[in-house]
mmCIF file of all heavy atoms in Angstrom:
data_model
loop_
_atom_site.group_PDB
_atom_site.id
_atom_site.type_symbol
_atom_site.label_atom_id
_atom_site.label_comp_id
_atom_site.label_asym_id
_atom_site.label_seq_id
_atom_site.Cartn_x
_atom_site.Cartn_y
_atom_site.Cartn_z
ATOM 1 N N THR A 325 -1.959 13.139 2.100
ATOM 2 C CA THR A 325 -0.567 13.487 1.694
ATOM 3 C C THR A 325 0.320 12.249 1.722
ATOM 4 O O THR A 325 1.176 12.079 0.880
ATOM 5 C CB THR A 325 -0.029 14.607 2.518
ATOM 6 O OG1 THR A 325 -0.936 15.729 2.384
ATOM 7 C CG2 THR A 325 1.333 15.002 2.119
ATOM 8 N N GLU A 332 2.287 6.616 -6.069
ATOM 9 C CA GLU A 332 3.247 6.941 -7.132
ATOM 10 C C GLU A 332 4.296 5.862 -7.303
ATOM 11 O O GLU A 332 4.637 5.504 -8.422
ATOM 12 C CB GLU A 332 3.867 8.247 -6.745
ATOM 13 C CG GLU A 332 4.411 9.039 -7.883
ATOM 14 C CD GLU A 332 4.851 10.425 -7.485
ATOM 15 O OE1 GLU A 332 4.000 11.267 -7.104
ATOM 16 O OE2 GLU A 332 6.112 10.655 -7.502
ATOM 17 N N PRO A 343 -4.767 3.193 -23.182
ATOM 18 C CA PRO A 343 -5.332 4.429 -23.710
ATOM 19 C C PRO A 343 -6.714 4.641 -23.016
ATOM 20 O O PRO A 343 -7.358 3.680 -22.607
ATOM 21 C CB PRO A 343 -5.606 4.123 -25.183
ATOM 22 C CG PRO A 343 -5.181 2.706 -25.460
ATOM 23 C CD PRO A 343 -4.598 2.178 -24.179
ATOM 24 N N ALA A 368 10.485 -12.245 -20.138
ATOM 25 C CA ALA A 368 11.470 -12.311 -19.096
ATOM 26 C C ALA A 368 10.799 -11.789 -17.829
ATOM 27 O O ALA A 368 10.065 -10.819 -17.799
ATOM 28 C CB ALA A 368 12.669 -11.434 -19.420
ATOM 29 N N ALA A 372 13.691 -7.610 -9.226
ATOM 30 C CA ALA A 372 13.312 -6.994 -7.919
ATOM 31 C C ALA A 372 13.536 -5.508 -8.063
ATOM 32 O O ALA A 372 14.537 -5.036 -8.685
ATOM 33 C CB ALA A 372 14.117 -7.591 -6.825
ATOM 34 N N GLU A 391 15.925 -17.234 -9.444
ATOM 35 C CA GLU A 391 15.149 -17.709 -10.622
ATOM 36 C C GLU A 391 13.669 -17.926 -10.232
ATOM 37 O O GLU A 391 12.746 -17.476 -10.950
ATOM 38 C CB GLU A 391 15.707 -18.969 -11.189
ATOM 39 C CG GLU A 391 15.080 -19.401 -12.498
ATOM 40 C CD GLU A 391 15.737 -20.552 -13.107
ATOM 41 O OE1 GLU A 391 16.979 -20.750 -12.984
ATOM 42 O OE2 GLU A 391 15.045 -21.378 -13.743
ATOM 43 N N TYR A 399 4.380 -13.457 -12.413
ATOM 44 C CA TYR A 399 2.927 -13.780 -12.430
ATOM 45 C C TYR A 399 2.178 -13.022 -11.360
ATOM 46 O O TYR A 399 0.926 -13.015 -11.370
ATOM 47 C CB TYR A 399 2.715 -15.257 -12.231
ATOM 48 C CG TYR A 399 3.248 -16.094 -13.377
ATOM 49 C CD1 TYR A 399 4.465 -16.824 -13.231
ATOM 50 C CD2 TYR A 399 2.637 -15.982 -14.604
ATOM 51 C CE1 TYR A 399 4.918 -17.521 -14.309
ATOM 52 C CE2 TYR A 399 3.132 -16.776 -15.708
ATOM 53 C CZ TYR A 399 4.301 -17.517 -15.520
ATOM 54 O OH TYR A 399 4.783 -18.211 -16.588
ATOM 55 N N GLU A 406 -1.553 -3.438 -8.358
ATOM 56 C CA GLU A 406 -2.914 -2.972 -8.558
ATOM 57 C C GLU A 406 -3.721 -3.100 -7.289
ATOM 58 O O GLU A 406 -4.485 -2.199 -6.947
ATOM 59 C CB GLU A 406 -3.589 -3.706 -9.714
ATOM 60 C CG GLU A 406 -3.006 -3.432 -11.094
ATOM 61 C CD GLU A 406 -2.962 -1.914 -11.398
ATOM 62 O OE1 GLU A 406 -3.989 -1.223 -11.199
ATOM 63 O OE2 GLU A 406 -1.874 -1.467 -11.794
ATOM 64 N N ALA A 407 -3.537 -4.152 -6.541
ATOM 65 C CA ALA A 407 -4.281 -4.325 -5.272
ATOM 66 C C ALA A 407 -3.867 -3.258 -4.298
ATOM 67 O O ALA A 407 -4.698 -2.623 -3.632
ATOM 68 C CB ALA A 407 -4.003 -5.744 -4.709
ATOM 69 N N LYS A 422 -12.010 17.818 3.947
ATOM 70 C CA LYS A 422 -11.849 18.785 5.012
ATOM 71 C C LYS A 422 -11.990 18.160 6.390
ATOM 72 O O LYS A 422 -12.291 18.867 7.360
ATOM 73 C CB LYS A 422 -12.787 19.944 4.844
ATOM 74 C CG LYS A 422 -12.521 20.754 3.574
ATOM 75 C CD LYS A 422 -13.441 21.873 3.386
ATOM 76 C CE LYS A 422 -13.185 22.629 2.122
ATOM 77 N NZ LYS A 422 -14.091 23.712 1.831
ATOM 78 N N GLN A 432 -13.892 -1.947 3.582
ATOM 79 C CA GLN A 432 -13.131 -0.695 3.505
ATOM 80 C C GLN A 432 -12.126 -0.602 4.665
ATOM 81 O O GLN A 432 -11.012 -0.115 4.518
ATOM 82 C CB GLN A 432 -14.088 0.502 3.545
ATOM 83 C CG GLN A 432 -14.856 0.688 2.244
ATOM 84 C CD GLN A 432 -15.989 1.725 2.449
ATOM 85 O OE1 GLN A 432 -16.572 1.891 3.495
ATOM 86 N NE2 GLN A 432 -16.242 2.445 1.360
ATOM 87 N N ARG A 438 -4.536 -2.187 5.165
ATOM 88 C CA ARG A 438 -3.500 -2.510 4.174
ATOM 89 C C ARG A 438 -2.791 -1.217 3.687
ATOM 90 O O ARG A 438 -1.530 -1.199 3.536
ATOM 91 C CB ARG A 438 -4.097 -3.280 2.998
ATOM 92 C CG ARG A 438 -4.581 -4.644 3.454
ATOM 93 C CD ARG A 438 -5.374 -5.313 2.343
ATOM 94 N NE ARG A 438 -5.800 -6.635 2.749
ATOM 95 C CZ ARG A 438 -7.074 -7.099 2.581
ATOM 96 N NH1 ARG A 438 -7.990 -6.325 2.060
ATOM 97 N NH2 ARG A 438 -7.378 -8.304 2.955
ATOM 98 N N GLY A 448 9.099 3.565 7.495
ATOM 99 C CA GLY A 448 10.050 2.723 8.211
ATOM 100 C C GLY A 448 11.335 2.526 7.374
ATOM 101 O O GLY A 448 12.402 2.607 7.918
ATOM 102 N N TRP A 479 2.244 8.036 15.143
ATOM 103 C CA TRP A 479 0.806 8.327 15.005
ATOM 104 C C TRP A 479 0.126 7.332 14.042
ATOM 105 O O TRP A 479 -0.983 6.836 14.321
ATOM 106 C CB TRP A 479 0.611 9.777 14.498
ATOM 107 C CG TRP A 479 -0.838 10.116 14.285
ATOM 108 C CD1 TRP A 479 -1.749 10.409 15.235
ATOM 109 C CD2 TRP A 479 -1.507 10.240 13.017
ATOM 110 N NE1 TRP A 479 -2.954 10.738 14.656
ATOM 111 C CE2 TRP A 479 -2.837 10.612 13.274
ATOM 112 C CE3 TRP A 479 -1.109 10.054 11.723
ATOM 113 C CZ2 TRP A 479 -3.764 10.774 12.265
ATOM 114 C CZ3 TRP A 479 -2.035 10.224 10.737
ATOM 115 C CH2 TRP A 479 -3.369 10.618 11.008
#
Side-chain angles (χ1 to χ4, degrees):
T325 302
E332 204 171 292
E391 188 176 326
Y399 295 108
E406 292 306 311
K422 296 181 182 177
Q432 290 170 326
R438 293 171 179 131
W479 177 76

